[in-house]
Amino acid sequence: MTPQNMAAQSPPSSLTIRNPATGSVVGTVAVTPVAEIDAVVARARAAQPAWAALGLDARAACVKGAIATLKARAGEMGALACAEMGKPLKEAIGEAGYANDSLGQEIDEIVAALRVELLEDEKTSTRLLFDPLGVAAVITPWNFPILMPTQSVIPALIAGNTVVFKPSEVSPLSGDLWARCMIEVLPPGVLQIIHGDGVQGSALVRSAVDLVVFTGSRATGAAIMRDASAGLKRLLLELGGKDPLIVLEDADIKAAAQFAVRNSFRNAGQVCVSTERIYVADKVADAFVQAVVDGARALTQGDGACETTQIGPMASARQKKIVMDQLRSAIADGAKCVVGECDGANPSEGNFIRPTVLTGVTHAMSIMRDETFGPVASIMRVSSDAEAVALANDSPYGLGAAVYGSQARATRVADQLTAGMVGINQGCGGATGSPWVGARQSGLGFHSGKYGHRQFAQVRSVSRAK
Ligand code: NAD
């Protein structure tokens, strides 16, 4: 018996998912044996030509067939997401509601982006066609377990690809329910789900897929690039961030502090575009720090299932350790903990970390260099706009950024930032049709918006003389 046969015959192990707030078991999923992944991809390959042949409009109509079920089950999906990764129930249901309510419009936008486009000059007429790439692997993280598959799987399907989807091993249950609602309305083999961790993820990337759509950490993105390089597979990587917030001396300090509190602590800081570094003008720093500290103190932390909870736990013990290591190291190197998880005397239990405000941080500290992904607001004073810009740009990351100040001055500062998405007196999310995009090592390729949707397809130009 070959080792491959042995693996194929061994019973699948399972993942037991525990609520990070309470430790109770939420559910289990069977892990897909690595030896079965090639067969899953072969099924996707076999289903792809007929799915592509349906044409853009019929594929879109087919996918839209899932919307009613997705909407009807949004509450159930949200409850699962809350239980398996800890976010407040209202936010989890909000995530499912947002993803499912906007799906019809999103599908229409994808269809519009993928229609044939005509280019003409005096001599030549060219049609731009957006063809399927083939089989897409979609691999997602745990922090938005419903929104992430929506943003990745749907454009891949509408473009005529078939999809093998692997949700995170930390929060597979809500993704599994989402995928089952979709699979119900799709022809067999067009969408399949596999479960497991990086072992399954890496095997999927190395299998005969044509496109890898990945959302997750920069380190895993780099591993995926290595695994995909032999086959020169198409990659769409949405990676981590270390988003700066700049507060200028003419900013509305109350509004800036409210934003800092919301964007540093929302989802317990486990958002790719969380505010992770704050640069505040010396003149207004005391008032700003005080307002952020007051805001942090006012937050209610607990089990996401409680109605009063605003901040849940870290999604896992692993995530708590990453954040605590950075916090301890910053404090040991001279950072001042003004409020929160400040010392060993009264540590939070389990996977919880109190909303924490640090001052006196420097760029020598990992808390200002590496992604934290936890409820920490790290604040540095700056003496000029130029210093704020230089510090904000001093990072290998470049996902989002925000600037608070008078419109003209904040716009001048915003225009000097190296980031994919910049918000002026608001978060970094753009108007409908904007791309979701990272600069530098926060991503490769991007999704959403006309140009993002087109990255799930192979562009082909067909030209003739006029
Ligand atoms: P992660 O990179 O640890 O895991 C993400 C997914 O990749 C999981 O499904 C995991 O099983 C899989 N995986 C792990 N190793 C793999 C490998 N070698 N090959 C293939 N797949 C592999 O990330 P995470 O901890 O789940 O999520 C948090 C990260 O996601 C943060 O860095 C955050 O900033 C990022 N994120 C980015 C965006 C964005 O839009 N840019 C959105 C959400 C989250």
Side-chain angles (χ1 to χ4, degrees), residues 138-144 148 151 165-171 196-206 212 214-227 237-242 270-274 276 316 318-319 322 371 373 397 399 421 436-438 442-443 447:
V138 169
I139 301 173
T140 56
W142 44 261
N143 64 334
F144 286 92
M148 294 295 124
Q151 290 176 335
F165 164 45
K166 192 199 86 60
S168 166
E169 66 276 23
V170 177
S171 59
D197 56 17
V199 172
Q200 279 70 23
S202 171
L204 180 59
V205 172
R206 285 182 282 109
V212 180
F214 171 74
T215 308
S217 64
R218 175 174 162 265
T220 305
I224 287 176
M225 273 186 111
R226 284 194 294 274
D227 279 343
L237 308 177
E238 293 283 359
L239 307 178
K242 190 74 193 163
Q270 302 166 118
V271 181
C272 55
V273 291
S274 279
E276 297 231 342
S316 66
R318 176 176 167 267
Q319 192 55 38
I322 292 170
E371 189 174 38
F373 230 51
Y397 292 102
L399 193 54
M421 300 172 285
W436 187 262
V437 52
S442 285
H447 67 67

Side-chain angles (χ1 to χ4, degrees), residues 313-337:
M314 297 286 92
S316 66
R318 176 176 167 267
Q319 192 55 38
K320 175 165 178 172
K321 183 177 181 320
I322 292 170
V323 179
M324 289 308 299
D325 285 352
Q326 287 190 13
L327 261 179
R328 286 194 191 104
S329 154
I331 291 167
D333 288 346
K336 183 178 170 215
C337 180

